[in-house]
Every structure is written in structure tokens, then in C-alpha cells.
Amino acid sequence: MMEHRIILEMGTGNDLYGLDYTKAAKRAIQDALHHSSIVMFKSLDISHEDMRVQVTIGVQKPEELDIAALTAELPRGRAQVIGVVGGLDVHDPENNQTHFIATAAIEAFVPITAADWKLSSPT
């Protein structure tokens, strides 16, 4: 059975004063999670354990992310988190402060047989 992506959610988060990419990324993950409600699992009797969750976090210095801490933010499925160059570092020269902005893309994949699914025409 092939995996198919069934969900794509995006979120943003920031750390305005702590210079912590992981904190900004956690907030981006929570923002994305709060945009989705996955009722189809119960409706279709699909186990959450069958779901693979792929999270891509964009920050300016992905090597500074705590991947284990970010993976722990995901409540369901088999999670994998990767960091990529993205997001924004916004410098405030008046206060000599840099603010970190992270972006998150959360994808959920489940094994389904495409032949079992059919789009119906609007009536």
C-alpha cells in the first residue's frame, strides 16, 4: 500500500528576545497544529499510528535547532522533523536586538489504496 499525503498545514512562530530558534520553531509547530482537526481518522477507522508526520522547519540557522525537542511537540503519528534554511532574522539596530521568526510545514501521510477512494460529483 502506498502512502499518500492527506494533510499539509503551515505555521509561523517567533522568539523576539531569547535568540532561540527552537523556541520559535515550537511556536510555529503549535500554530500549524492549531489550524487542523483530523476527524477523518475516527470517521474512517484509521489508526493514528499508521500516520507518518513530516515536519519541515525553516530558520536561518537550522543546525541550532533541537530536533528531539521539536519532535516531542507532535502529539500523534510517527514524526520526523528536519530543519532547513528559511524563516527570518529581523535585526532592530536601535535596540541591538535580533528577533527570530520560524516557519513550519506539517505533512501527514497515511497508507491508503487509491482504488478505495472516489470523488463524487456535486449534485
Side-chain angles (χ1 to χ4, degrees), residues 53-64:
V53 180
Q54 174 68 49
V55 179
T56 305
I57 300 291
V59 293
Q60 288 294 295
K61 295 180 182 173
E63 66 277 5
E64 293 185 16

Side-chain angles (χ1 to χ4, degrees), residues 2-18:
M2 285 187 55
E3 278 188 334
H4 294 274
R5 183 174 67 184
I6 58 165
I7 297 168
L8 172 61
E9 289 290 349
M10 282 109 354
T12 60
N14 61 65
D15 184 21
L16 297 178
Y17 303 106

Side-chain angles (χ1 to χ4, degrees), residues 16-80:
L16 297 178
Y17 303 106
L19 298 173
D20 187 338
Y21 287 111
T22 299
K23 185 175 183 180
K26 283 182 179 183
R27 290 176 173 170
I29 288 171
Q30 289 303 313
D31 182 47
L33 290 175
H34 286 104
H35 292 194
S36 67
S37 175
I38 311 173
V39 297
M40 69 171 255
F41 286 94
K42 186 171 183 176
S43 299
L44 300 174
D45 197 30
I46 298 173
S47 170
H48 284 101
E49 287 82 36
D50 292 338
M51 176 176 59
R52 181 173 61 87
V53 180
Q54 174 68 49
V55 179
T56 305
I57 300 291
V59 293
Q60 288 294 295
K61 295 180 182 173
E63 66 277 5
E64 293 185 16
L65 290 170
D66 181 341
I67 299 298
L70 296 175
T71 303
E73 292 290 305
L74 299 154
R76 297 194 187 348
R78 295 171 284 114
Q80 178 184 17

Side-chain angles (χ1 to χ4, degrees), residues 97-115:
Q97 182 68 50
T98 301
H99 311 291
F100 292 168
I101 301 170
T103 56
I106 300 178
E107 300 171 90
F109 298 83
V110 293
I112 57 174
T113 303

